[in-house]
Amino acid sequence: QVQLVESGGGLVQPGGSLRLSCAASGSIFSINVMRWYRQTPGKQRELVAGITSGGSINYADSVKGRFTISRDNAKNTMYLQMNSLKPEDTAVYYCNAIVRALFVSGDFESWGQGTQVTVSS
């Protein structure tokens, strides 16, 4: 009933910028937390940034000062503005959310399919 779809990935040169989007749709009552993760083959999945419905934000140390997370609650959409990109930012970026759906009790976790970000000269 709830789907997360990422978009905005691509190939950029070091120092460039991208903006990722994650749109949530379906039978949504509320979204408490939205987060961006990233993963490279052979490496553990890494939490990049998170934002709550109240606007509390946290970032991984590796992206502080370069990435900005935001959300539009009216659109059920989350964004990740990525500036000063480095080759080590190359990964598949995944949208994650803690969602309360209509017609059911409790919260559940939802994941998007991922979008590829490649930073290379």
Side-chain angles (χ1 to χ4, degrees), residues 12-20 38 62-68 80-86 89 93 119:
V12 296
Q13 295 186 5
S17 298
L18 284 173
R19 190 178 79 150
L20 306 183
R38 65 186 182 187
S62 60
V63 306
K64 286 181 179 177
R66 300 188 298 119
F67 291 10
T68 302
L80 185 68
Q81 179 66 47
M82 304 185 294
N83 298 326
S84 302
L85 283 162
K86 305 174 181 179
D89 295 319
Y93 284 71
V119 185

Side-chain angles (χ1 to χ4, degrees), residues 24 70 108:
S70 62
F108 66 93

